[in-house]
Amino acid sequence: MADSTPEQSSTPPLPRAFLDFLEENGIDPSIYVKGDTIPRYIRLKPGCENLVPGIEAELACELERVDWLPGFYAVPPQIKIASSEAYKSGKIYGMDAASGAAVLALDVSEGDHVLDLCAAPGAKLCMLSDLLGNSGSLTGVDVSRDRLAACRTMLLKYTLGDRCRLFIADGTSFSLLPLRPSMNVKSCVINGDGVASTFGEWTSKRSYKDRKNASKLKNSIGSQLALATSEPELFFYGKNSGVVGLQRTELFSVADNAEASNLGYDKVLVDAECTHDGSIKHIQKFEHWGWKTLDHRVLDAKRTNSLMHLQLQLLTNGFKLLKAGGTLVYSTCSLTFAQNEDVVERFLIKNHSAELQGVDAAKNWPCRSGRIPHTLRFDPNTSQTSGLFVAKFIKDCFFVALHV
């Protein structure tokens, strides 16, 4: 892990208010001149390593293996992959190396039940599915239907959705546990109007009867139940996700703390919504959008406070759904203290079973320590990646056993 002070570069023409914001957060302004020099990163679908020479020929560039991150390659920043056959056929997808590190920090093992609480747009979800292989389960949650549709498209394109469920839901209140064989499901009550039926295999083309039943379900309980209980909407499920064959009333289980500690997720990823100030290309867009829009999107104190509240809620709920002994990774693409270390500190004060844990693999990663021990920070100067903050937690089994 890098400890050296980032090298200084010329300061880009940024607004005074933004420069003050960067100084308050100890961020070197020079990182914002590096957007055109940071490599573009792609992840190669496992088993496709023999295709590298052909992909290099198609992209007309060398794929430089990222030694510290298995399956990742760096290409020049100007390379476009969307029109390539390798991309269209699901052999490669774009994903920043720092984001890949956040996923790798979870240390996913075969057979794990994994929750991605802020799943869109889907690259991390695909990597998680790859790591799971043909075992365990993967649940993806996002509040946006359109963004979750992008996740579903990626899963289908890369044939990674077999053991996956996707839910449109508020990540701060999502409460569905993984579908384990030993679970005693507590079903939510649905009117006895014949709507409830078993789930067949998922298809994008629903029959008239299915559409009618879905409409009836929505009209009979949908809006009221969603408002009252924030019940999630099942958006997609794979053949081996555990959903096929279930009664509709069996899908939803009410998770209290004791149940989650015993039957919750083995691994949880909370890649929370943030101001995206660590995304160099995102900040560069304000040159075209107008720097005034930066004030309310990044610098506005009320927005930052609102985001901090949301981030703490997401982290807290993700940890609630984690089983005892499980691992949670919290990440944002912000470089501010407020959205990272401050959120972690507030979370630890209220959650005594949570312990920050170091990431063993990070000893070989080009990143630096955050303000709090065991937290990590990636940035263009140190890492040659976009900015990212990573914190890894475990749920202490002994503490949970004493307090359940």
Side-chain angles (χ1 to χ4, degrees), residues 51 102 183 206 222 265 304 324 362 366:
L51 301 179
M183 286 181 61
R206 296 186 300 171
Y265 295 90
T304 299

Side-chain angles (χ1 to χ4, degrees), residues 118-132:
C118 309
K124 295 185 184 73
L125 196 72
C126 285
M127 183 174 173
L128 286 168
S129 184
D130 267 335
L131 294 174
L132 279 173

Side-chain angles (χ1 to χ4, degrees), residues 18 25 50 53 57 108 147 176 228 241 247 260 330 333 342 381:
F18 188 52
N25 286 279
N50 62 317
V108 171
R147 285 168 58 82
L176 301 188
S241 63
Q247 294 283 331
Y330 171 77
C333 61
D342 290 356
N381 282 338

